[in-house]
Amino acid sequence: MMRFDVEYQAPDISAYRTGNTGLDYVHQFTSGKAGPNILITGLIHGNEISGAVALDFLMKNDIRPDIGTLTLCFANVAAYRCFNPAKPHLSRYLDVDMNRVWSRETLKNGPASRELARAREILPVVEQADYLLDIHSMSDDCQPLALAGKQEKGVTLARAIGLAPYIIMDRGHASGFRLRDFDRFSSGSIRPASILMECGQHWRQATAEFAINSCLRFMTATGILEQEKAAPWLTLPSARKERVLDVTHTVTVEHEAFFFTRSVQAMERIKRAGTELGLDGVTPVVTPYDDCFLVMPQPGAPRGNTAVRMARSI
Ligand SMILES: [Zn+2]
């Protein structure tokens, strides 16, 4: 894994503990006018500190909805409290990945963990949301990705936000459901809808800026914030021409470990079908078609985890 210095500070969020919802670190603002209920979550992964920066920005600047309801949720605060810039990868979670527990079955009967307890706690605000923006970041120094799920409504929402150069249609991971994939976001033709925004490399200053811009544009895209109110804070231009990539193959590691046998870059396009990418145990993994894009390759992914996703441009 490449090393990056942490270029910005993880904000002190202790002042946000007591929210107005009865839930720690969850704040809800109601405009009093009819409109959608939107939810922005940060820190589902405790070390993805751009989410804390973005929510802190919205709180500090008193950004409130003109219509509908806005809920801001600092998710895995317990893991975030352990964040140490000298060892920034360690505080992703405490017991289990909080972005793999979002099925009804796991929420009801999953093995006890601090993450599952917190997921159950914030479930009521997830159940209310018409639109969800879940802020994340990546280990790779990669351009931002809007993970939109397999349905058209996710792509429509990502295009309306209009910031990320790549919109990824994917199903998630074999190891468990992401918040973005929670079942209610898959029902209905327009909403509820959700986006998982990978805002860039975890520790880049630009990633925090992208996270803030994503939140504001999400609010204008869903209509709860007037364009002219957001404008003074918007520092990034719209994506010129988003590329939509449809993930056709998710490579889940079946053997002890997965090794890439060539050097791979995030979002790399591999020209020829049949190009070997790596070995799962002794089984070669090859590209299934020409012009195959590699989405978030994870060198050294352990058994049961995603090693790489393969996608075609549509
Ligand atoms: Zn994440």
Side-chain angles (χ1 to χ4, degrees):
M1 191 179 288
M2 279 181 75
R3 285 189 59 86
F4 297 93
D5 289 332
V6 181
E7 295 177 351
Y8 60 103
Q9 271 216 318
D12 177 3
I13 61 168
S14 53
Y16 305 131
R17 176 167 186 159
T18 306
N20 57 355
T21 57
L23 302 171
D24 282 358
Y25 295 99
V26 180
H27 296 257
Q28 191 164 73
F29 306 105
T30 305
S31 65
K33 293 185 191 147
N37 186 315
I38 82 164
L39 171 63
I40 303 177
T41 47
L43 298 178
I44 284 281
H45 290 134
N47 65 337
E48 297 181 0
I49 59 177
S50 63
V53 171
L55 294 176
D56 181 45
F57 176 91
L58 299 177
M59 293 293 293
K60 272 201 180 120
N61 289 288
D62 294 322
I63 294 170
R64 301 287 184 265
D66 293 306
I67 62 166
T69 299
L70 169 67
T71 305
L72 305 177
C73 171
F74 298 85
N76 197 348
V77 178
Y80 177 66
R81 278 209 202 95
C82 303
F83 181 75
N84 172 358
K87 293 179 180 167
H89 286 285
L90 293 187
S91 52
R92 182 175 167 86
Y93 56 81
L94 298 176
D95 301 325
V96 298
D97 189 330
M98 196 175 167
N99 216 22
R100 300 290 183 274
V101 301
W102 293 95
S103 69
R104 302 272 170 198
E105 174 56 27
T106 303
L107 286 165
K108 198 161 169 227
N109 298 318
S113 67
R114 283 168 282 187
E115 277 76 16
L116 184 58
R118 178 62 172 160
R120 285 174 177 152
E121 210 171 87
I122 67 173
L123 182 60
V125 293
V126 175
E127 296 276 28
Q128 289 170 2
D130 294 313
Y131 296 102
L132 162 73
L133 176 67
D134 187 22
I135 301 283
H136 287 255
S137 56
M138 301 175 275
S139 329
D140 285 317
D141 206 2
C142 171
Q143 285 189 288
L145 316 174
L147 306 190
K150 277 290 192 185
Q151 292 176 311
E152 202 50 45
K153 65 180 179 178
V155 176
T156 304
L157 178 56
R159 283 192 197 280
I161 298 169
L163 261 185
Y166 292 100
I167 297 171
I168 312 291
M169 300 181 76
D170 74 327
R171 272 205 182 82
H173 305 276
S175 51
F177 286 83
R178 302 171 301 191
L179 173 57
R180 202 228 71 79
D181 306 320
F182 189 46
D183 62 3
R184 61 189 308 278
F185 298 117
S186 303
S187 64
S189 58
I190 297 169
R191 66 191 207 192
S194 63
I195 294 291
L196 187 169
M197 193 68 87
E198 297 281 10
C199 295
Q201 206 284 331
H202 298 312
W203 330 122
R204 295 272 193 223
Q205 179 74 56
T207 301
E209 184 184 9
F210 190 92
I212 292 170
N213 277 257
S214 297
C215 292
L216 293 165
R217 281 178 175 259
F218 175 61
M219 291 173 70
T220 57
T222 51
I224 73 157
L225 182 66
E226 287 167 15
Q227 201 81 41
E228 56 267 34
K229 286 192 186 159
W233 288 301
L234 291 172
T235 55
L236 295 175
S238 303
R240 281 247 187 81
K241 192 173 183 304
E242 299 110 325
R243 189 189 279 281
V244 180
L245 297 180
D246 184 26
V247 173
T248 55
H249 296 68
T250 299
V251 178
T252 303
V253 181
E254 287 176 10
H255 296 87
E256 209 47 64
F258 182 97
F259 297 100
F260 286 98
T261 48
R262 55 176 285 147
S263 82
V264 290
Q265 306 292 322
M267 308 316 294
E268 183 176 354
R269 184 204 303 218
I270 307 282
K271 269 217 107 20
R272 293 271 161 259
T275 304
E276 184 182 291
L277 299 178
L279 292 170
D280 185 357
V282 292
T283 312
V285 172
V286 300
T287 51
Y289 38 77
D290 287 352
D291 293 319
C292 176
F293 285 83
L294 306 182
V295 179
M296 289 195 277
Q298 299 293 323
R303 192 199 299 247
N305 285 63
T306 302
V308 65
R309 284 163 267 194
M310 298 191 274
R312 61 158 55 102
S313 185
I314 56 172

